[in-house]
């Protein structure tokens, strides 16, 4: 049998229910893994081992099993919790302790989950990386800004974790770390207690090692009865292959993997056709830049004015300066432009069930001074589409690469079933 920390959350819950292991076994195995690997991976800003074991013990002693059965999880260090520090990736907030739990943490705890600790984020979930390395190759980035959340799941330190996405901060790290990453239809998950970067785009992201776990945690966050994903659809899907205008910039291995995947899915019965946004969508990335930078700069006015020297030059003279220089008229016009783009998405999709596109440009980039390019997210994030990265490719250096699926808003559950169909045919 695998070590308890190697089980998915769904597998661990079943094992706890059968009596073959306990929640304490899972938490202890995760803590052992952290002790072994944290000096290499550097995924954690804070680990609360003893409280986590105590919580797991109380769940084990309860007369009925909760939905999450004491399963440990992690949260990105821009997500508040009442019982441990939240530093937002900045020395300004070193030792800062909120007095509340963010909605996602409160809901997960209410379902019996055990918060194991806080994971490393880039500075204010933006550009400047923290200490985290890629668990598959410590010389490479894990992606960002949800660096530690992805690395912790990818290295079997915890079954699932919370990140966020404003540009590509969930999908890219998931791809680099070889796990599943998911962002819901915009607005489905409550963001109370999550430090805002750009309210127009911020979404809670989930990292896990199976689609079943993504679906499970989604139900918990929606505070509704847990429903299984269900079998993959018997009817092959209708897929739009979206190469985007970045196609020539993707690494050759990624382009080849995408073309091969499209061929294999077509051979399995899917109707795969090319999909391209019209020229009227060419301003998506620029509009995303102006809206996100305008909002970010104003959200961090206090830090900029009162702690100017404690903000990294990369952020202070880059994103914040960019946002300060953006007029309200440009911001307003960019928002209106994006709303118009979103309004015609159903017409553009037609009878397509979902799009496929690369999750990142290729394998994780070498070096820890950046978290990799984000241009893909600047195209898709402002469209508010639910998105899911599947770890179905391997690059030329033996490192994981991801395939991203995107569907129209409010089709998340259907996307999970279709993603299972894709995984079945690409990993067989």
């Amino acid at each position: 049998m695998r070590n308890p920390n190697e089980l998915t959350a769904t597998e661990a819950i079943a094992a706890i229910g059968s009596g073959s292991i306990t929640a304490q076994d899972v938490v202890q195995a995760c803590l052992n893994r952290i002790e072994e690997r944290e000096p290499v991976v550097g995924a954690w800003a804070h680990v609360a081992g003893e409280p986590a074991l105590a919580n797991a013990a109380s769940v084990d002693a309860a007369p009925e099993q909760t939905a999450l059965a004491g399963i440990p999880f992690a949260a990105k260090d821009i997500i508040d919790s009442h019982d441990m520090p939240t530093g937002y990736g900045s020395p300004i907030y070193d030792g800062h302790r909120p007095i509340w739990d963010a909605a996602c943490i409160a809901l997960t705890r209410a379902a019996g989950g055990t918060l194991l600790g806080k994971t490393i984020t880039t500075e204010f979930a933006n550009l400047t990386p923290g200490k985290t390395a890629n668990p598959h190759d410590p010389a490479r980035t894990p992606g960002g800004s949800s660096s530690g959340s992805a690395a912790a799941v990818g290295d079997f330190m915890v079954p699932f974790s919370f990140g966020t996405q404003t540009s590509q901060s969930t999908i890219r790290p998931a791809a680099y770390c070889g796990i599943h990453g998911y962002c819901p239809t915009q607005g489905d998950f409550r963001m109370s207690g999550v430090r805002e970067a750009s309210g127009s785009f911020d979404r809670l992201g989930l990292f896990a090692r199976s689609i079943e776990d993504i679906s499970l945690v989604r139900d918990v966050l929606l505070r509704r009865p847990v429903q299984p994903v269900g079998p993959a659809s018997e009817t092959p899907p209708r897929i739009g292959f979206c190469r985007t205008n970045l196609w020539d910039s993707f690494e050759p291995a990624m382009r080849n993997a995408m073309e091969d995947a499209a061929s294999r899915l077509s051979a399995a019965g899917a109707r795969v056709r090319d999909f391209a946004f019209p020229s009227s969508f060419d301003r998506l990335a620029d509009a995303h830049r102006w809206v996100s930078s305008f909002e970010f700069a104003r959200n961090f006015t206090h830090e900029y004015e009162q702690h100017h020297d404690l903000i990294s030059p990369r952020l202070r003279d880059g994103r914040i300066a960019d946002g300060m220089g953006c007029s309200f008229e440009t911001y307003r016009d960019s928002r209106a432009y994006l709303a118009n783009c979103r309004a015609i998405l159903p017409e553009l999709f037609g009878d397509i069930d979902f799009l496929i596109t690369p999750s990142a440009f290729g394998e994780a980039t070498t070096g820890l001074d950046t978290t990799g390019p984000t241009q893909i997210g600047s195209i898709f994030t402002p469209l508010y589409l639910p998105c899911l990265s599947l770890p179905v490719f391997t690059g030329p250096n033996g490192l994981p690469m991801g395939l991203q699926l995107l569907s129209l808003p409010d089709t998340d559950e259907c996307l999970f079933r279709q993603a299972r169909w894709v995984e079945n045919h690409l990993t067989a």
Side-chain angles (χ1 to χ4, degrees):
M1 181 178 175
R2 288 176 291 164
N3 291 328
N5 63 293
E6 297 173 351
L7 301 174
T8 66
T10 306
E11 291 169 340
I13 290 167
I16 291 169
S18 71
S20 59
I21 62 173
T22 65
Q24 294 172 80
D25 292 333
V26 180
V27 171
Q28 186 61 64
C30 288
L31 291 172
N32 292 345
R33 180 67 174 178
I34 292 170
E35 183 178 10
E36 174 192 357
R37 291 281 293 167
E38 178 64 4
V40 175
V41 179
W44 297 85
H46 180 82
V47 178
E50 290 186 7
L53 286 168
N55 183 75
S58 67
V59 173
D60 285 334
E64 295 184 3
Q65 183 172 315
T66 56
L68 288 176
I71 298 300
F73 69 100
K76 183 176 181 177
D77 197 30
I78 63 164
I79 302 175
D80 291 340
S81 61
H82 76 275
D83 53 355
M84 58 188 71
T86 307
Y88 312 117
S90 169
I92 297 171
Y93 290 97
D94 186 32
H96 168 64
R97 283 184 172 267
I99 59 172
W100 51 77
D101 280 348
C104 60
I105 290 179
L107 287 163
T108 307
R109 283 175 155 166
T114 298
L115 179 60
L116 199 55
K118 297 296 186 64
T119 46
I120 294 293
T121 175
T122 61
E123 180 187 24
F124 296 127
N126 207 265
L127 297 172
T128 307
K131 64 181 181 178
T132 311
N134 191 299
H136 301 279
D137 181 352
R140 296 175 184 257
T141 179
S145 60
S146 307
S147 310
S149 294
V153 174
D155 201 54
F156 302 98
M157 295 175 173
V158 71
F160 72 92
S161 66
F162 294 130
T164 61
Q165 178 155 302
T166 306
S167 294
Q168 208 191 7
S169 296
T170 293
I171 296 300
R172 186 174 77 264
Y176 284 174
C177 293
I179 55 176
H180 294 74
Y182 163 71
C183 289
T185 295
Q186 189 83 17
D188 275 3
F189 292 163
R190 304 277 52 82
M191 298 294 285
S192 173
V194 181
R195 183 64 195 261
E196 180 179 311
S198 169
S200 290
F201 302 133
D202 291 351
R203 278 186 283 181
L204 194 72
L206 303 182
F207 297 100
R209 295 192 294 273
S210 72
I211 295 171
E212 288 75 16
D213 282 8
I214 294 288
S215 178
L216 165 68
V217 179
R218 182 174 189 270
D219 284 340
V220 165
L221 294 180
L222 296 176
R223 201 154 196 174
R224 66 181 188 180
V226 172
Q227 300 291 330
V229 176
S233 174
E234 294 183 3
T235 302
R238 298 158 297 186
I239 302 172
F241 184 0
C242 187
R243 293 174 177 82
T244 79
N245 58 5
L246 301 170
W247 187 248
D248 290 342
S249 300
F250 293 122
E251 294 177 10
M254 176 57 82
R255 295 200 300 267
N256 292 338
M258 289 295 302
E259 298 285 2
D260 178 66
S263 296
R264 292 170 65 188
L265 295 175
S266 180
R271 194 190 76 185
V272 182
R273 68 174 178 86
D274 289 341
F275 178 95
F277 290 117
S279 59
S280 60
F281 278 50
D282 288 350
R283 291 174 48 210
L284 282 174
D286 283 342
H288 174 269
R289 170 193 172 189
W290 291 125
V291 172
S292 61
S293 295
F294 182 95
E295 294 179 351
F296 186 94
R298 283 149 184 81
N299 282 331
F300 289 91
T301 298
H302 168 75
E303 290 80 5
Y304 183 82
E305 296 292 343
Q306 302 298 323
H307 303 282
H308 190 271
D309 293 341
L310 292 179
I311 301 174
S312 71
R314 180 185 298 183
L315 180 59
R316 186 182 63 225
D317 303 331
R319 185 66 173 276
I320 293 178
D322 201 36
M324 292 294 188
C326 177
S327 70
F328 176 71
E329 289 73 23
T330 297
Y331 168 70
R332 180 188 58 201
D333 291 347
S334 296
R335 285 196 311 176
Y337 165 77
L338 293 174
N340 289 335
C341 290
R342 290 191 289 267
I344 65 172
L345 283 173
E347 178 184 349
L348 295 178
F349 267 65
D351 63 355
I352 288 174
D353 294 313
F354 59 88
L355 305 180
I356 58 171
T357 196
S359 297
F361 281 78
E363 294 176 316
T365 55
T366 301
L368 303 182
D369 57 336
T370 72
T371 61
T374 65
Q375 291 96 320
I376 304 171
S378 297
I379 295 172
F380 291 109
T381 291
L383 295 178
Y384 292 177
L385 305 174
C387 51
L388 180 64
S389 182
L390 304 180
V392 293
F393 300 144
T394 300
N397 296 294
L399 298 174
M401 300 191 301
L403 170 72
Q404 182 176 199
L405 278 60
L406 305 107
S407 60
L408 288 172
D410 302 319
T411 61
D412 300 58
E413 291 95 342
C414 184
L415 183 64
F416 294 159
R417 294 191 296 274
Q418 291 163 337
R420 173 173 278 175
W421 188 95
V422 171
E423 277 195 332
N424 288 346
H425 288 91
L426 293 184
T427 60

